[in-house]
């Protein structure tokens, strides 16, 4: 049967919002995650790798409506069930903690590293698949578990390459805020459901402190706030007195002086704010205990601190809340210096397994933003970004291919990355262009004449890079970056050249 | 608003055909892939990590029909496009090679490791998400690239932990089979389309040699074959003479004597079979060149051999075909010893990028079956399967938690995996059960009394494991596996105990 019509060619493109990672982008992440995993392992955490696919039912929060689940996840129907790609690593942990609850040790310390998927509108630097790196402890009610996670986070950041002094792990507590709300009269321990609407608005307002500033938050506690576009957001309707109590908490973190940030001073300020609230006092006690445990393990205020300025996530977590910020400055997109900002966050959440089993199980954990942390390592020059390519053994004489392969083998056996040029060897200039594109540090050249004399030419491409693209072999041989060495000394001489590059 | 009705609880289950990996299952795979990646890197291969999601158009072969793509992939509609999870690592490589063809070095050597997804009926040991570990060279027409891949495969298997002598990389060539078909009169170089139906049946029959044996293949070359269930498969309809030629090829690999497997003998036998066929002769020349290149790099017949018994994949690949088999025996499910079998396969395929660009690009590569290779390491005892858990510092006195955390910190600083028990410490027996479940080698015990005397108790759980589940603290203290050491010597003494375990 003759083909009468050709199908149009498919487009070679990544789907919208997805990307490919190549070379050093892959190895740097792998290495960084390996170093972090080693810290987690030392702390007794065990790896867990769930599959990318979960039932929509187990993921929760995303339920099929008319014909497909809400936005947010990538989902598809299978028989009459819906399956979806996980959107984080916590939902699968909840499923696992419930599914294997009789077999897992309790407490269960686990870490997980891997991609997650979000069916969101992609934007610059915003992808629909990205890596997360989480560590959680399930089944430990004591804040000793929170302190452990915070200390481990310090060590993980240092293992990744962030120097002490360049980061700060900051710890706050939702219970303290609850105590403040009790004092403000919008939380009644005897009737926990009352004032739910007001508290919701207060929590959302506090969560926006970074963006709106104290003035914006204050407006949302009262009558409401009109944004730049003129849209009006209704406020919680607190009286000035009530709002002042809540603002006391919001502003407790704003005293950034050394004295103001001393643990004893912070705890005293918080104790003052929660007054007689039992929950608030318990929250301050927890923070005090966390500070004590961290100090006992050598995590001083230069690494982890109690800090009421951490407000992000207070609406989501139920106890201690943590954040890791990088404190060095980078140049922002506007050309102005700014702090690098947050690279990890977490806290205590006690409803993890309850959806499945009906039984409350305490849990606490952190999630490190892998791409942001990698970006930070680039910003501080801690990763080279581009690793050296392999030594390229060029092909001057096609018949000597076995001899060239033997050279590459010898180099590899000495731990030197090496390959023989396997494109069409006819045009020697193309071989040099190839070596250049690979970022090869050195090219090995051995024609018939050299073979006859028992020597090889070693061309230092790092020195000679500029001329490589256009040079003919003859000019090229004249460059000072090229050396002739006995064939028998190939490995030793090449090793010396590479060591000189690294020096 | 009072809740009147509770939603039913979601089921905590992995979707059908998916599974979770925990603890050593994760770390062993990570370590094995790390060792293989190091070999690939030494050979000049660069990592590539594409996203899990591709357009169905780019994946090819799976096209939307009425409302959703054919079975085989997990796919979903987005706007009017279809997206799908990748089903292997080769299709994304084809897309990448086309998409970045102006920027990638040529030849492009890349490796990729990661999960792939198949929307197939799951079965015992058959999952819908599994790992692949591939290495391919795109743009190298010479069989030197095939030889390189085969040598690298040997080194990768050895790096993974398979000893020399326990595996065999075997190499055959589709061109030789084409030569044989030419001799048999079912391939006409002047009219390549003719006899397409016959050749298709012949290729499929040969691919089934393992399962059907030579007799079964012979039937399919002729009139046809009735299977055990009575179903009849129509044959290629070759004459006895034609079938004898093809069977000569099929049986060329069956002489397993040392003399029969010597490279020179195999090549002579194949040269004889392809007669005057130009393609057949080219195929034998290629195999000879591969053998020569492998020998030059130190890959003798104890590691890689030319072997006409490799028939799997001959219908798919266009030139050299490779397979790595593990040659040691394991006990099969039927209780009988059998060879472990194949763990990797690959070959040359030259239409990789053509679908996208219209331009033929030569490519060759291998894919290692990660789960099978891990199973092989377990079968040979090369991996422990279960790694030791952390040292558990027990909690005898809740007020001394900071002191316990400090102990754990000291142990970690010495590289010893350690954690403090963070469950409810009231029942000491539960702490011991927990340590047992974790596979802890040693528990550290320090009550008020010990603290007063400046000592700690070290309980060797490997020795004492049996009694741990039921013992009370008092009986437990009397066990010979328990030692009292000065608190100051904790790290040194514990290090000694662990070293004794490993000895």
């Amino acid at each position: 049967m003759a083909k009468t019509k050709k199908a149009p060619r498919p487009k070679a493109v990544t789907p919208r919002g997805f990307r490919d990672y190549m070379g050093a982008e892959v190895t740097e992440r792998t290495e960084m995650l390996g170093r972090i995993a080693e810290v987690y392992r030392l702390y007794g955490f065990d790896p867990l790798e769930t599959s990318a696919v979960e039932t929509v039912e187990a993921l929760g929060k995303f339920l099929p409506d008319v014909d497909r689940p809400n936005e947010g996840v990538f989902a598809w129907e299978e028989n009459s069930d819906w399956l979806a790609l996980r959107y984080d690593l916590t939902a699968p942990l909840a499923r696992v903690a419930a599914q294997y609850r009789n077999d897992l040790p309790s407490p269960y310390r686990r870490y997980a590293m891997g991609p997650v998927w979000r069916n969101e509108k992609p934007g610059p630097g915003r992808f629909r698949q990205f890596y997360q790196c989480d560590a959680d402890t399930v089944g430990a009610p004591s804040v000793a578990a929170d302190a452990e996670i915070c200390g481990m986070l310090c060590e993980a950041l240092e293992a990744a390459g962030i120097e002490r002094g360049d980061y700060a792990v900051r710890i706050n507590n939702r219970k303290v805020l609850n105590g403040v709300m009790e004092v403000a009269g919008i939380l009644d321990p005897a009737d926990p459901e009352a004032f739910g609407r007001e508290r919701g608005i207060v929590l959302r307002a506090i969560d926006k402190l970074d963006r709106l500033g104290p003035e914006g938050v204050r407006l949302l506690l009262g009558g409401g706030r009109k944004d730049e576009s003129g849209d009006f957001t209704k406020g919680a309707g607190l009286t000035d007195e009530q709002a002042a109590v809540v603002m006391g908490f919001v502003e407790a973190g704003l005293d950034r002086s050394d004295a103001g940030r001393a643990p004893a001073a912070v705890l005293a300020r918080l104790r003052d704010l929660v007054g007689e609230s039992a929950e608030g006092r318990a929250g301050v006690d927890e923070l005090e205990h966390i500070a004590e445990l961290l100090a006992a393990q050598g995590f001083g205020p230069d690494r982890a601190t109690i800090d009421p300025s951490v407000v992000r996530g207070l609406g989501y977590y139920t106890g201690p809340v943590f954040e890791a910020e990088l404190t060095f400055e980078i140049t922002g997109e506007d050309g102005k210096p700014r702090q690098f900002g947050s690279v990890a966050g977490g806290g205590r959440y006690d409803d993890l397994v309850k959806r499945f089993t009906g039984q409350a199980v305490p849990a606490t954990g952190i999630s490190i933003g892998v791409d942001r942390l990698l970006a930070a390592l680039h910003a501080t020059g801690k990763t080279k970004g581009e690793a050296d390519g392999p030594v390229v053994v060029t092909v001057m004489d096609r018949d000597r291919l076995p001899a060239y392969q033997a050279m590459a083998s010898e180099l590899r056996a000495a731990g030197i990355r090496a390959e023989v040029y396997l494109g069409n060897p006819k045009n020697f200039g193309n071989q040099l262009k190839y070596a250049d594109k690979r970022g090869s540090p050195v090219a090995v050249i051995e024609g018939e004449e050299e073979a006859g004399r028992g020597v090889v030419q070693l061309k230092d491409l790092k020195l000679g890079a500029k001329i490589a693209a256009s040079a003919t072999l003859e000019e090229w041989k004249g460059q000072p970056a090229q050396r002739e060495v006995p064939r028998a000394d190939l490995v030793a001489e090449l090793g010396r050249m590479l060591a000189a590059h690294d020096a």
Side-chain angles (χ1 to χ4, degrees), chain A residues 215-295:
Chain A
E215 310 72 30
V217 173
R218 174 67 186 80
L219 291 172
L220 286 171
L221 298 183
R225 176 178 175 273
K226 193 182 276 187
D227 68 15
E228 300 72 37
S229 72
D231 283 348
F232 184 76
T233 307
K234 199 162 180 294
L238 305 196
T239 64
D240 285 354
E241 225 169 14
Q242 288 178 310
V245 174
V246 174
M247 287 309 292
F249 174 79
V250 169
E251 286 161 357
L254 299 182
D255 180 355
R256 316 296 292 161
S257 69
D258 280 354
R261 296 174 64 184
V266 170
L267 290 166
R269 208 151 70 236
L270 293 178
R271 226 176 260 294
D272 206 43
L273 279 165
V274 299
E276 297 299 309
S277 158
E279 186 179 7
R281 286 172 162 206
V284 180
D285 287 346
E286 286 181 2
L287 288 176
E288 190 165 16
H289 194 35
I290 288 173
E292 181 192 19
L293 287 167
L294 284 169

Side-chain angles (χ1 to χ4, degrees), chain A residues 26-243:
Chain A
V26 177
T27 47
E28 283 174 4
R29 184 178 56 208
T30 304
E31 280 162 23
M32 186 185 83
L33 291 178
R35 290 192 299 269
I36 293 174
E38 182 51 25
V39 171
Y40 289 172
R41 204 190 68 84
L42 273 177
Y43 272 77
F45 285 65
D46 273 344
L48 168 67
E49 191 176 308
T50 59
S51 62
V53 179
E54 296 276 346
T55 65
V56 164
E57 183 189 356
L59 283 183
K61 163 171 152 190
F62 300 97
L63 292 169
D65 51 23
V66 184
D67 69 341
R68 52 177 300 139
N70 295 340
E71 290 300 292
V73 291
F74 293 104
W76 59 91
E77 203 168 8
E78 177 170 281
N79 304 320
S80 50
D81 291 335
W82 280 89
L83 299 181
L85 294 179
R86 64 183 178 209
Y87 57 85
D88 71 6
L89 299 172
T90 309
L93 170 62
R95 195 256 306 149
V96 163
Q99 185 170 349
Y100 309 104
R101 60 189 177 281
N102 296 325
D103 302 315
L104 289 174
S106 178
Y108 174 48
R109 289 174 172 94
R110 87 89 180 79
Y111 69 85
M113 299 169 164
V116 301
W117 292 266
R118 302 268 170 95
N119 192 355
E120 293 172 333
K121 205 179 145 86
R126 191 182 167 85
F127 294 98
R128 305 207 286 172
Q129 172 177 329
F130 54 92
Y131 263 76
Q132 288 191 335
C133 166
D134 286 20
D136 295 82
T137 301
V138 179
S142 151
V143 292
D146 302 88
E148 180 178 87
I149 291 268
C150 290
M152 187 169 76
L153 177 55
C154 295
E155 293 208 36
L157 292 174
E158 291 175 19
I162 304 295
E163 275 174 41
R164 212 173 288 186
D166 275 352
Y167 72 89
V169 171
R170 295 174 178 148
I171 307 156
N172 199 356
N173 197 332
R174 164 68 183 270
K175 289 182 182 170
V176 173
L177 175 58
N178 282 359
V180 170
M181 294 202 286
E182 203 179 316
V183 171
I186 54 168
L187 176 61
D188 179 358
D191 180 7
E193 305 281 322
F195 309 109
R197 193 193 69 84
E198 286 81 358
R199 283 200 307 279
I201 296 175
V202 169
L203 286 169
R204 283 192 297 278
I206 290 181
D207 233 12
K208 291 179 192 153
L209 175 63
D210 280 357
R211 197 156 55 78
L212 304 184
E215 310 72 30
V217 173
R218 174 67 186 80
L219 291 172
L220 286 171
L221 298 183
R225 176 178 175 273
K226 193 182 276 187
D227 68 15
E228 300 72 37
S229 72
D231 283 348
F232 184 76
T233 307
K234 199 162 180 294
L238 305 196
T239 64
D240 285 354
E241 225 169 14
Q242 288 178 310

